[in-house]
Amino acid sequence: MRTLLLLRLRRDRLQVPLWVVGTTLLAAAAVGGVTASFTTEADRHGLLAAVMANPVILLFRGLPSGAGEAQVAVFLILPFLSMLVGMMSVFLAVRHTRTDEEQGRAELIAATPAARVLPLAATTLHGLLVNTVIGVGIALAFIALGYPVAGSLIAGLAVASVGLCFLGVGLLSAQLMRTSRGANSLAVWLLVAAYLTAGLGNALGTPSDDLTRLESSWLTWLSPIGWAENTRAYADDVTWPALLGIALGVLLATAAFLVQSTRDLGEGIVPQRHGRASASRMLGSPIGLAWRLSRGAAWGWATGGLIAGVLATSLTSAMNELARIDSVQQLLEAMSQQNDIEQSMVVVFYLIVGVLASCAAVQTVCRARQEEAHGTAEPVLAGAVDRTRWLASHLVAAAAAAALTLAAAIAGSALGGLRGGADLVADAVIAGAGQGLAAAVILALTALVFVVAPRATIVFGWMLVLVALLIGLFGPLFSLPEWATRLSPFAQAPAPGPDGIDVNGGWWLLAITVLGAAAALWLMRRRELHPAS
């Protein structure tokens, strides 16, 4: 057990510290953002009153528990911390279980005197330690910034409980699905469903008479994220909702052990779907094959883009209400480069669309790395397909996935504009095109890393998206200087302005994209394949 645990810690010596430090810094930055943006209780009271009047906003935020500074900080940041910790736990669980089976490492360990379930036990202990460290780190960050000790400990426990719950989800998914890709997809979709269920339960809740507190509906109690929110840190400070999440995680982990002890190595409970007897003509080309491998994920990101696009033009009335608060208006202006409120709404939502398009592109490039690591790229390259053409096919598929996400968002904005926001559709098209450039930069840089340091592709690509998101979307909330915010491609993208199109840093983004993609394709000519070690 000790050796397997140390092995996992060594393999995660870069990824886990990044997750832990990033999550803790995000929690600390939220405190600074609330302190700078909502300085008075009247500001915070006005914010909560406006949010209560617009249930759609509650769908994407936490559970209001009061107008105190600490209570508002938890309301704003707890759902995002929960999502981050949930994703980290899922990826950790699948990486050390199903991925090890796919790459043959589990079979090597099974050939030793180690017990059959010992690797799974080591992974469970590894996840438990990491989530504990994150929970303690968040609590210490809040305490160090002057928040009450009891509430800070509850906030850390709430976030850790979500992580432990989805550690169990990841462990069980890895037992049910035959591939790591399928296990990650199942667990992440369950995480997204938990987030939306908690948000919908809050949106259907009952506000207090002074509009500073909300009693969530029964729907929230179906979600582990809803349980974490109902700990109400800095207000009621109750622990038992967080214990529900931990208990569910223990239950799911126990089920994973039971399945592990009965199935064959390399097999799953959900049967593998057989392909068709004959292939379509599209699979006769490298581009067709690359698109076939990534189209499922591309449609998933496009669905997210469609929802964000609908919200961009249908929430105009809600944001007009929120913008009556001076601090909110200043925040929106900072995030959207001084546009009017309706344009600000479109620009901010399309920044999220840009993130979704970047995720679609990065996942497609990561798919190329997985094909290389698993050895399935080699048969393709053994034919009349050179390395440059093979990489170019994946870049084209990645660009198509990003474009599909942006097109779905614009279509959603057109649908949302049918109820009075039709004049914003043109702004949505401009903002979508600008964010397409930002996604292209992420794509080109990830492709370049894939060529020069292939084993770092997955970590670099996702960390690039995460850092750009935090700087571009949350920079104004965290009161970062403007030059720092503009380091993010999403903040540099061309956008609609009061006097037309603000080109912003569009030419720089275009130049980086062209140079990055050209360098990746040129360097790929003599690069050797790097299978998984």
Side-chain angles (χ1 to χ4, degrees), residues 260-300:
Q260 164 79 11
S261 61
T262 57
R263 70 175 177 86
D264 292 332
L265 190 67
E267 294 297 324
I269 300 302
V270 177
Q272 189 176 20
R273 188 176 60 178
H274 295 290
R276 292 184 299 182
S278 58
S280 66
R281 294 182 61 184
M282 185 183 75
L283 288 178
S285 67
I287 293 178
L289 177 60
W291 175 250
R292 173 65 182 83
L293 292 172
S294 56
R295 67 181 182 183
W299 283 112

Side-chain angles (χ1 to χ4, degrees), residues 22-351:
T23 307
T24 305
L25 288 179
L26 181 62
V31 175
V34 170
T35 303
S37 302
F38 306 102
T39 54
T40 66
E41 185 167 349
D43 279 345
R44 297 189 292 271
H45 194 287
L47 171 70
L48 293 176
V51 167
M52 298 286 188
N54 300 282
V56 176
I57 298 176
L58 285 169
L59 184 63
F60 299 98
R61 286 297 186 180
L63 180 64
S65 299
E69 184 180 308
Q71 294 159 352
V72 171
V74 169
F75 159 67
L76 291 175
I77 202 64
L78 184 62
F80 295 111
L81 295 177
S82 300
M83 285 290 287
L84 285 176
V85 174
M87 283 192 287
M88 181 212 67
S89 297
V90 165
F91 295 152
L92 182 149
V94 175
R95 182 167 62 250
H96 291 295
T97 51
R98 179 56 67 177
T99 304
D100 277 358
E101 287 192 39
E102 285 182 323
Q103 298 183 352
R105 286 193 286 264
E107 189 172 6
L108 294 175
I109 295 174
T112 70
R116 181 183 178 88
V117 297
L118 207 54
L120 185 58
T123 301
T124 305
L125 181 57
H126 181 33
L128 175 63
L129 291 173
V130 173
N131 279 289
T132 302
V133 170
I134 287 182
V136 171
I138 290 173
L140 291 177
F142 284 149
I143 292 171
L145 292 169
Y147 283 0
V149 174
S152 301
L153 293 175
I154 292 295
L157 175 65
V159 174
S161 72
V162 176
L164 291 172
C165 180
F166 281 92
L167 175 67
V169 172
L171 291 173
L172 185 57
S173 297
Q175 301 302 318
L176 297 178
M177 309 303 290
R178 198 172 182 275
T179 65
S180 59
R181 184 183 175 88
N184 277 324
S185 299
L186 173 63
V188 169
W189 276 112
L190 288 174
L191 177 62
V192 172
Y195 177 80
L196 294 177
T197 301
L200 187 58
N202 292 337
L204 297 175
T206 305
S208 61
D209 293 337
D210 61 355
L211 299 180
T212 60
R213 182 184 173 96
L214 185 79
E215 297 298 331
S216 52
S217 72
W218 62 269
L219 200 57
T220 302
W221 293 97
L222 300 180
S223 165
I225 296 178
W227 299 340
E229 292 173 348
N230 273 281
T231 56
R232 295 188 183 275
Y234 306 109
D236 298 347
D237 291 339
V238 292
T239 57
W240 65 265
L243 298 180
L244 288 177
I246 297 173
L248 180 57
V250 171
L251 187 64
L252 294 172
T254 303
F257 276 93
L258 292 175
V259 175
Q260 164 79 11
S261 61
T262 57
R263 70 175 177 86
D264 292 332
L265 190 67
E267 294 297 324
I269 300 302
V270 177
Q272 189 176 20
R273 188 176 60 178
H274 295 290
R276 292 184 299 182
S278 58
S280 66
R281 294 182 61 184
M282 185 183 75
L283 288 178
S285 67
I287 293 178
L289 177 60
W291 175 250
R292 173 65 182 83
L293 292 172
S294 56
R295 67 181 182 183
W299 283 112
W301 294 114
T303 303
L306 178 67
I307 295 172
V310 170
L311 295 176
T313 51
S314 61
L315 283 181
T316 304
S317 59
M319 292 309 295
N320 282 332
E321 187 75 23
L322 272 176
R324 294 176 183 175
I325 307 169
D326 291 341
S327 53
V328 174
Q329 186 175 16
Q330 292 169 6
L331 187 61
L332 282 172
E333 288 176 352
M335 296 171 72
S336 59
Q337 302 158 28
Q338 307 298 320
N339 297 337
D340 64 41
I341 295 304
E342 292 182 351
Q343 279 187 333
S344 300
M345 183 77 173
V346 172
V347 171
V348 171
F349 266 96
Y350 268 82
L351 193 152

Side-chain angles (χ1 to χ4, degrees), residues 375-435:
T376 45
E378 196 168 350
V380 177
L381 294 171
V385 179
D386 59 35
R387 292 179 177 84
T388 302
R389 189 182 172 199
W390 176 77
L391 176 60
S393 67
H394 281 277
L395 297 188
V396 170
L404 179 64
T405 304
L406 294 168
I410 292 172
S413 295
L415 290 174
L418 295 177
R419 296 182 58 185
D423 53 337
L424 296 175
V425 176
D427 292 334
V429 173
I430 297 170
Q435 291 299 328

